[in-house]
Amino acid sequence: MAIFKNKIERLINIKKSEEKFNKSMENIQLEKNDGLAMIIAALITFIPALLIVIGFFVAIIYLLFLR
């Protein structure tokens, strides 16, 4: 259990871990276009995965009902 001690403590002391996270985030300054870059990166990541899932469901529907 010594391996997961820090993770268990974070789960038990939620307020303490949130305060620690907020304190560490205060020092981070985002640049002008960082928000746009994060949105574009999310779209590049999630759209192909979403298309694969939709394609899978379309293929199943085609094979079961339209064939």
Side-chain angles (χ1 to χ4, degrees), residues 4-5 9-10 12 14-15 18-19 22 29 35-36 41 45 48 57-58 60 62-64:
F4 300 110
K5 184 179 178 187
E9 286 180 9
R10 281 190 305 210
I12 294 172
I14 294 175
K15 282 196 172 230
E18 284 181 358
E19 289 173 3
N22 288 335
Q29 297 293 325
L36 179 62
T45 303
F57 283 119
V58 167
I60 294 296
Y62 174 76
L63 290 174
L64 292 177

Side-chain angles (χ1 to χ4, degrees), residues 33-51:
N33 292 325
D34 282 349
L36 179 62
M38 287 188 274
I39 291 171
I40 292 171
L43 291 174
I44 290 171
T45 303
F46 292 122
I47 287 179
L50 203 66
L51 289 175

Side-chain angles (χ1 to χ4, degrees), residues 1-9:
M1 280 300 197
I3 297 172
F4 300 110
K5 184 179 178 187
N6 289 337
K7 291 184 181 189
I8 292 172
E9 286 180 9

